[in-house]
Amino acid sequence: MVSKSFTRLLNPSTFRQVSLSSSSCATPSSSLPPLRYHIFREPLPYPVGLKLQNDIIDVRLKAKKDDPAGSRGKGDVVLMLEHTPTYTTGRRDNSPNPNELHPEEKKVQNVGANFYITKRGGQVTYHGPGQLVGYPILDLNVMETPTRCYVEYLQAMLAEYARDDLGVQGVLAPHPEGHVGVFSSPTEKFASIGIHLSHRITSHGFAMNITPQPIKWFDLVMACGLADVKATSLHQLIPPSSKGGLPSVRDVAESLIPKFGDLFSRGIIPLSQDLQEEGAEVNQIYELVQKAEDDATIVNGKQGGWPDEPDLSKRE
């Protein structure tokens, strides 16, 4: 559980302040290569995104084994995307019975979204168009970053963006009762965090509702196991007087990318930049990402798109 008290951490490399719940989370080392990032062109089917993460981790683990010193942080990458309509639950959810449908899955049968049980932390949530998903695949060992601090870094970054960049009022991160995530009030949540570690390399990450499109899907389940908390979106929270208007999902992705560099005291560059100067690890990650882009185009084309809202006419 994350501490309820807040302190302020000043990042000396950028002089940006980030709210953290523990003063023991020191500024990460800045001696590592730049982070790389990729923003996907169209929503990814969940299995495509899951396979991509697993494949990238396999490449990274092999690189670390072959050249522990030379691979330090080179393969750290942040993937920004939307998913096609999908419900997932994580390893903390101990309710599934292998002989029966998951209780939350029963609620969303035939509404137009798939349901997957994953290895990430957390309980049931929804992913789909209108929501930004971030998958940072980072080596916490070489970053000298404890898992708890990494979660708090993500939480603080999302909270700061909503509060300081978009003017959202009343941002809570974490929840007053210690629940991880970013909330606009004790009863409304707009961003979730659930991670998985494989040999200290992260996968999964965060999901933040940008437009109201995901809300009807969230309303069908008890998201994150919080019965008294409902989903909301940034578009519903941004003050009408905001000069910047309502950002698109891609706008938010592009705004968050430099914040990752600030947060971890590292440069950040496109995954595709200077590939000819990099070794096999970065090039293999680039090829995997391009294949995922192609696979998403093929799968989405065959399916003919996805529903904008749940179809309740066939719900059991």
Side-chain angles (χ1 to χ4, degrees):
M1 179 177 293
V2 180
S3 168
K4 300 176 188 177
S5 63
F6 279 78
T7 60
R8 304 288 287 177
L9 173 69
L10 183 62
N11 184 333
S13 67
T14 61
F15 299 98
R16 291 187 58 83
Q17 290 183 319
V18 177
S19 300
L20 293 176
S21 59
S22 174
S23 58
S24 65
C25 294
T27 305
S29 170
S30 60
S31 62
L32 297 173
L35 296 168
R36 291 178 177 267
Y37 73 89
H38 181 80
I39 303 174
F40 281 81
R41 296 189 300 266
E42 65 176 284
L44 260 63
Y46 192 79
V48 174
L50 186 60
K51 183 178 187 303
L52 173 62
Q53 293 179 80
N54 291 337
D55 288 347
I56 290 176
I57 289 172
D58 287 345
V59 167
R60 299 209 58 195
L61 291 176
K62 184 178 186 304
K64 286 184 68 173
K65 181 180 179 181
D66 294 345
D67 184 8
S71 68
R72 279 179 57 85
K74 281 190 175 182
D76 284 346
V77 62
V78 178
L79 306 176
M80 294 288 209
L81 56 120
E82 295 172 89
H83 277 303
T84 55
T86 304
Y87 291 98
T88 69
T89 191
R91 63 178 182 270
R92 283 184 55 199
D93 193 339
N94 58 10
S95 58
N97 182 327
N99 299 318
E100 297 180 3
L101 289 177
H102 186 286
E104 294 296 315
E105 185 175 3
K106 293 178 182 179
K107 299 178 183 179
V108 295
Q109 284 288 287
N110 304 316
V111 301
N114 294 314
F115 192 101
Y116 299 96
I117 298 175
T118 74
K119 294 181 179 179
R120 64 162 172 80
Q123 299 185 45
V124 174
T125 193
Y126 169 78
H127 300 305
Q131 179 193 80
L132 175 64
V133 172
Y135 290 147
I137 303 180
L138 310 177
D139 189 335
L140 296 188
N141 266 357
V142 301
M143 291 169 60
E144 300 179 353
T145 300
T147 304
R148 173 183 55 81
C149 292
Y150 171 66
V151 171
E152 292 189 8
Y153 289 150
L154 293 181
Q155 185 173 252
M157 180 186 70
L158 299 177
E160 182 189 67
Y161 170 71
R163 181 184 61 239
D164 297 348
D165 291 37
L166 300 181
V168 175
Q169 302 296 310
V171 174
L172 303 171
H175 188 275
E177 296 181 3
H179 306 303
V180 173
V182 189
F183 302 76
S184 57
S185 77
T187 59
E188 290 186 315
K189 183 179 186 180
F190 61 87
S192 300
I193 296 171
I195 69 166
H196 177 66
L197 293 178
S198 179
H199 300 277
R200 298 284 295 156
I201 295 177
T202 66
S203 59
H204 299 277
F206 70 85
M208 183 159 60
N209 298 328
I210 312 304
T211 78
Q213 189 173 350
I215 306 307
K216 290 184 178 179
W217 299 89
F218 269 106
D219 287 344
L220 301 182
V221 295
M222 186 169 67
C224 303
L226 302 177
D228 297 328
V229 176
K230 299 297 182 183
T232 189
S233 69
L234 290 179
H235 281 196
Q236 295 166 282
L237 299 170
I238 294 173
S241 59
S242 174
K243 296 180 180 179
L246 298 178
S248 67
V249 175
R250 188 172 185 91
D251 289 338
V252 175
E254 291 176 347
S255 295
L256 288 179
I257 286 298
K259 295 181 183 297
F260 272 96
D262 291 349
L263 192 60
F264 295 115
S265 302
R266 296 170 68 175
I268 187 160
I269 60 176
L271 177 58
S272 59
Q273 183 173 316
D274 299 329
L275 288 176
Q276 68 278 7
E277 300 176 10
E278 295 294 340
E281 182 180 6
V282 173
N283 279 272
Q284 288 173 14
I285 292 172
Y286 174 78
E287 291 171 3
L288 289 171
V289 167
Q290 292 306 303
K291 184 177 185 305
E293 288 269 25
D294 294 341
D295 289 347
T297 300
I298 293 170
V299 173
N300 292 341
K302 289 181 178 178
Q303 293 183 347
W306 47 85
D308 291 330
E309 59 183 52
D311 180 0
L312 302 183
S313 65
K314 300 178 183 177
R315 189 182 183 195
E316 296 183 357

